[in-house]
Amino acid sequence: MADLEWASGLPGLYAVIPAGGSGTRLWPLSRTASPKFLHDLTGSGASLLQDTVARLRPLCGERLLVVTGARHADGVAKNLPTLNSDNLIVEPSPKDSLPAIGLAAAVLERRDPDAIVGSFAADHVITDQPAFEGCVTEAVAVAREGVLVTLGITPSYPATGFGYVQLGSAYGPSGHARWVPAFVEKPPLEVAKGYVDAGYLWNAGMFVVQASVLMAMIERWEPELAAGLRAIAADRDTIEDVWPSLPALSIDRAIAEPAAAAGAVAVVPAHFGWDDIGNFASLAAHLPPSRSRAGLRVLGDDDLVLSIDSSGIVAARGGRTVVLLGVPDTVVIDTPDAVLVTTRERAQDVKVIVDALASSGHEDLT
Amino acid sequence: MADLEWASGLPGLYAVIPAGGSGTRLWPLSRTASPKFLHDLTGSGASLLQDTVARLRPLCGERLLVVTGARHADGVAKNLPTLNSDNLIVEPSPKDSLPAIGLAAAVLERRDPDAIVGSFAADHVITDQPAFEGCVTEAVAVAREGVLVTLGITPSYPATGFGYVQLGSAYGPSGHARWVPAFVEKPPLEVAKGYVDAGYLWNAGMFVVQASVLMAMIERWEPELAAGLRAIAADRDTIEDVWPSLPALSIDRAIAEPAAAAGAVAVVPAHFGWDDIGNFASLAAHLPPSRSRAGLRVLGDDDLVLSIDSSGIVAARGGRTVVLLGVPDTVVIDTPDAVLVTTRERAQDVKVIVDALASSGHEDLT
């Protein structure tokens, strides 16, 4: 009975995992050819993508689609060997989030008229699985009412790199859902502080919506995109011809913003731990303390690291011994072909390295 | 004529190069099995040993002996492929400096009764070749008078890691030589400051002395050692039997100190640049500034290093790209099996790493 329940999950829920982005702020661990979601960044023994799938299985059973770029299709297939090829959608070229999620919705509305899409990024870390399942379960119930539902994260600081969700009045008689009067773009710091004080939540890109409702929204605000996506869904062989003509659009700006303005968006506040592991400083929080060295977090083999009067983060992924002497709050990322030395404070700037390498003819390292 | 002069050098001068010590303060570049003197640490394209030989050739021609330990004999032979095997003396076990230099003297007093030994460490850096040649030429002239001559280095700071040479009255009618009333051991900092103020010079372990005079001094203060060394010199096949019974003694303490007290030591003040490259901070002074990055010194391939808002020293000897972001005064030493991250300030403490590795079962890395 428990197994059967596990296998079916929430009736009609299809998990959609857009697996894109290269994670340039985690260079040299993540690379253009080997993006963040294919890596074990928490020492769990599984990649972030595998962790994401494992987290969703109790909710969606086998109803799970991954949308990824052509260059990562092989990596995803190897990472998820049991994924049915019908459930792996390969984008011929990157088009931002809306065509990716929209194509999954177009495929699903044909497969199951009552399908509900739950879209979750491939490279986020979520802690407290029961809270996550409860939150998604509530979001699915709200989505059945015909609105676009987002999961809202309580801000831990006035981030300028995320969008924010304004909270309106309570949605429905029970539960925690609220109407969303407005989705707001990544704000300047002072604006972000005001949002946090006003109780706005982070938009973490987790959406739950009926496939047919999402397609209707796309048809309303981006009709050519909707037509293109439905043409591809009707005949997958047309993707190479149709895809290049589609616009690159983010679901936040192209759909969630106008839908909120039209009174068609609700939010379920999330009560689980969430992190997009935006840089090495935030990665540290997900690593266990070093067995042998206080103040140090190690990703990889602890035995490869020797730390004297030092603290920070070491990724020992080059098979070599890494020794720190007298360097506090330091980040050392060792890989077979590159080693990065920086500080926790500068971890957010790692992207500039990738830019510098690319502009100096070292694309092979990016 | 110039060639002939080059080939002969100073008549009767035999250069003796004790090639020992592992240079643990330059780990992981230098290792027990691959000591400092076998490495190119200045970017000259030659090892320190090869540089030492090249520096001495104009003074000694082919009259050059290298004394090294059994475990480094192959490395030395490969490093100096033209060295006649008669001129490579291999110690069966380490015995400090006096047995090494003394054995060379015992061999040379048989080979040439007028031989003058000039002993120079294999891993020092000397700049200003003409000044070096002038200083050694003067030391050889003084040594012909029957005294032990040391080359004294003007201290650049109150070092506690070197011995000091006290200056007495002028030696002889011309030149710069002085009598040496006392050789003094590595002093505490306050004492070292007093020595520097009083005009003492560093004892850098460079001695010039007639082979027969040195042997007479050893016979006077360490008669059993003299007998053992002469027995080996008379029949090199006896070395395996005799060597283990010889005492381990430093030439400074066992000979130079009592000889100074006996009025048999002179010093020629050196006017060339000298450095024993004791740690990575001092290494930096011998490296050219990075072509592309201000404030950074690179040992190895400059193209392998990317530095953003950083300064210090990078050794790129692992064939991998090394990236520094926002780390000032940092030392990164990259080798195929180990990478060290420290600061200029802590560079003098690198030896503790080697101790820690050895005591934790990682002798293979030392």
Side-chain angles (χ1 to χ4, degrees):
Chain A
M1 183 66 187
D3 275 357
L4 199 65
E5 210 168 18
W6 185 91
S8 55
L10 298 174
L13 175 65
Y14 291 75
V16 172
I17 303 176
S22 56
T24 52
R25 286 176 299 170
L26 293 178
W27 186 93
L29 275 188
S30 66
R31 308 286 179 100
T32 307
S34 179
K36 191 170 147 187
F37 57 80
L38 293 178
H39 290 266
D40 170 14
L41 293 181
T42 64
S44 73
S47 71
L48 293 176
L49 174 60
Q50 289 170 328
D51 283 340
T52 300
V53 169
R55 181 187 309 131
L56 290 165
R57 281 282 189 225
L59 294 162
C60 66
E62 299 297 319
R63 300 182 304 279
L64 185 144
L65 280 71
V66 177
V67 189
T68 196
R71 78 161 102 187
H72 301 140
D74 285 350
V76 169
K78 282 182 191 155
N79 220 237
L80 301 175
T82 64
L83 185 73
N84 189 307
S85 62
D86 284 348
N87 290 338
L88 177 60
I89 298 179
V90 180
E91 303 169 291
S93 60
K95 289 279 185 191
D96 210 334
S97 57
L98 183 57
I101 298 168
L103 180 54
V107 167
L108 289 173
E109 73 169 352
R110 295 179 66 88
R111 207 183 276 187
D112 178 353
D114 298 323
I116 291 175
V117 172
S119 173
F120 303 92
D123 54 6
H124 294 174
V125 170
I126 286 171
T127 52
D128 193 346
Q129 176 76 13
F132 175 71
E133 292 183 21
C135 190
V136 174
T137 301
E138 186 167 355
V140 168
V142 176
R144 287 194 203 286
E145 305 293 317
V147 293
L148 176 67
V149 186
T150 179
L151 307 191
I153 306 294
T154 304
S156 50
Y157 67 102
T160 57
F162 300 133
Y164 285 74
V165 179
Q166 187 184 0
L167 298 192
S169 56
Y171 178 96
S174 66
H176 316 93
R178 304 277 288 268
W179 287 106
V180 174
F183 255 73
V184 285
E185 273 300 286
K186 298 172 183 175
L189 183 61
E190 285 308 312
V191 177
K193 287 177 178 169
Y195 288 166
V196 172
D197 291 343
Y200 286 35
L201 302 181
W202 281 342
N203 165 33
M206 294 182 281
F207 293 102
V208 180
V209 60
Q210 286 182 35
S212 57
V213 169
L214 179 58
M215 288 312 297
M217 288 176 169
I218 299 174
E219 195 172 355
R220 177 170 172 189
W221 287 296
E222 296 290 340
E224 289 181 22
L225 177 61
L229 295 174
R230 281 175 164 149
I232 296 168
D235 179 0
R236 297 275 283 269
D237 291 341
T238 65
I239 192 167
E240 296 292 341
D241 291 331
V242 177
W243 189 264
S245 68
L246 301 182
L249 296 166
S250 97
I251 188 171
D252 299 5
R253 299 207 68 165
I255 300 300
E257 286 186 15
V265 178
V267 60
V268 175
H271 296 289
F272 48 80
W274 173 90
D275 193 346
D276 71 342
I277 313 191
N279 59 55
F280 288 117
S282 56
L283 173 62
H286 301 284
L287 298 175
S290 169
R291 289 194 306 274
S292 52
R293 303 294 168 185
L296 200 74
R297 303 279 171 146
V298 174
L299 178 63
D301 186 350
D302 211 59
D303 291 336
L304 287 175
V305 181
L306 174 63
S307 168
I308 299 170
D309 302 339
S310 302
S311 62
I313 308 148
V314 173
R317 286 289 172 84
R320 305 173 321 134
T321 296
V322 178
V323 179
L324 278 61
L325 171 65
V327 284
D329 283 326
T330 295
V331 175
V332 179
I333 310 298
D334 185 48
T335 71
D337 62 350
V339 58
L340 166 66
V341 179
T342 186
T343 62
R344 280 179 191 261
E345 193 184 346
R346 294 300 298 270
Q348 63 191 329
D349 301 328
V350 166
K351 186 178 182 304
V352 302
I353 296 166
V354 179
D355 297 340
L357 288 171
S359 66
S360 63
H362 293 90
E363 293 85 358
D364 54 311
L365 286 168
T366 65
Chain B
M1 182 68 187
D3 275 356
L4 198 65
E5 210 168 19
W6 184 92
S8 56
L10 298 174
L13 175 65
Y14 290 75
V16 172
I17 304 176
S22 56
T24 53
R25 285 175 300 170
L26 293 177
W27 185 93
L29 275 188
S30 66
R31 308 286 179 102
T32 306
S34 179
K36 191 170 147 188
F37 57 80
L38 292 178
H39 291 266
D40 169 14
L41 293 181
T42 63
S44 72
S47 71
L48 293 177
L49 174 60
Q50 289 169 328
D51 284 339
T52 300
V53 169
R55 181 187 311 131
L56 290 165
R57 282 280 189 228
L59 293 162
C60 66
E62 299 297 319
R63 298 182 305 278
L64 185 145
L65 280 70
V66 178
V67 188
T68 196
R71 78 161 101 188
H72 301 140
D74 285 351
V76 168
K78 282 181 190 154
N79 220 237
L80 301 175
T82 63
L83 186 72
N84 189 307
S85 63
D86 284 348
N87 289 337
L88 177 59
I89 298 179
V90 180
E91 303 169 291
S93 60
K95 290 277 184 190
D96 210 334
S97 58
L98 182 57
I101 298 168
L103 180 55
V107 167
L108 289 173
E109 73 169 352
R110 295 178 65 90
R111 208 184 275 187
D112 177 353
D114 297 323
I116 291 176
V117 171
S119 174
F120 302 92
D123 55 5
H124 294 174
V125 170
I126 286 171
T127 52
D128 193 346
Q129 176 76 14
F132 175 71
E133 292 183 21
C135 190
V136 174
T137 301
E138 186 167 355
V140 168
V142 175
R144 287 194 204 286
E145 306 292 317
V147 294
L148 176 67
V149 185
T150 179
L151 307 191
I153 305 293
T154 303
S156 49
Y157 67 102
T160 57
F162 300 133
Y164 285 74
V165 178
Q166 187 184 0
L167 297 192
S169 56
Y171 178 97
S174 67
H176 316 92
R178 305 276 288 269
W179 286 107
V180 174
F183 255 73
V184 285
E185 273 299 287
K186 298 171 184 176
L189 183 60
E190 286 308 311
V191 177
K193 287 178 179 169
Y195 288 165
V196 172
D197 291 342
Y200 286 34
L201 302 180
W202 282 342
N203 164 32
M206 294 182 280
F207 293 102
V208 180
V209 58
Q210 285 182 36
S212 57
V213 168
L214 180 58
M215 289 311 298
M217 289 175 168
I218 299 174
E219 194 173 356
R220 176 170 171 188
W221 287 297
E222 297 289 342
E224 289 181 22
L225 176 62
L229 295 174
R230 281 176 166 148
I232 295 168
D235 179 1
R236 297 274 282 269
D237 290 342
T238 65
I239 191 167
E240 296 293 340
D241 290 332
V242 176
W243 189 264
S245 68
L246 300 182
L249 296 166
S250 96
I251 188 171
D252 299 4
R253 299 206 69 165
I255 301 298
E257 286 186 14
V265 178
V267 60
V268 175
H271 296 290
F272 48 80
W274 174 88
D275 194 344
D276 71 342
I277 313 190
N279 59 55
F280 288 117
S282 57
L283 173 62
H286 302 284
L287 298 174
S290 169
R291 290 195 305 274
S292 52
R293 303 294 168 185
L296 200 73
R297 304 279 172 147
V298 174
L299 177 63
D301 185 350
D302 211 58
D303 291 336
L304 286 175
V305 181
L306 174 62
S307 168
I308 299 171
D309 302 339
S310 302
S311 62
I313 308 148
V314 174
R317 288 289 172 86
R320 305 173 322 135
T321 296
V322 178
V323 179
L324 278 62
L325 172 64
V327 283
D329 283 325
T330 295
V331 175
V332 179
I333 310 298
D334 186 48
T335 72
D337 62 349
V339 59
L340 166 66
V341 179
T342 186
T343 62
R344 279 180 192 263
E345 193 184 345
R346 293 299 298 272
Q348 62 190 330
D349 301 329
V350 167
K351 186 177 182 303
V352 302
I353 296 166
V354 179
D355 297 341
L357 289 170
S359 66
S360 64
H362 293 89
E363 292 85 358
D364 54 312
L365 287 167
T366 66

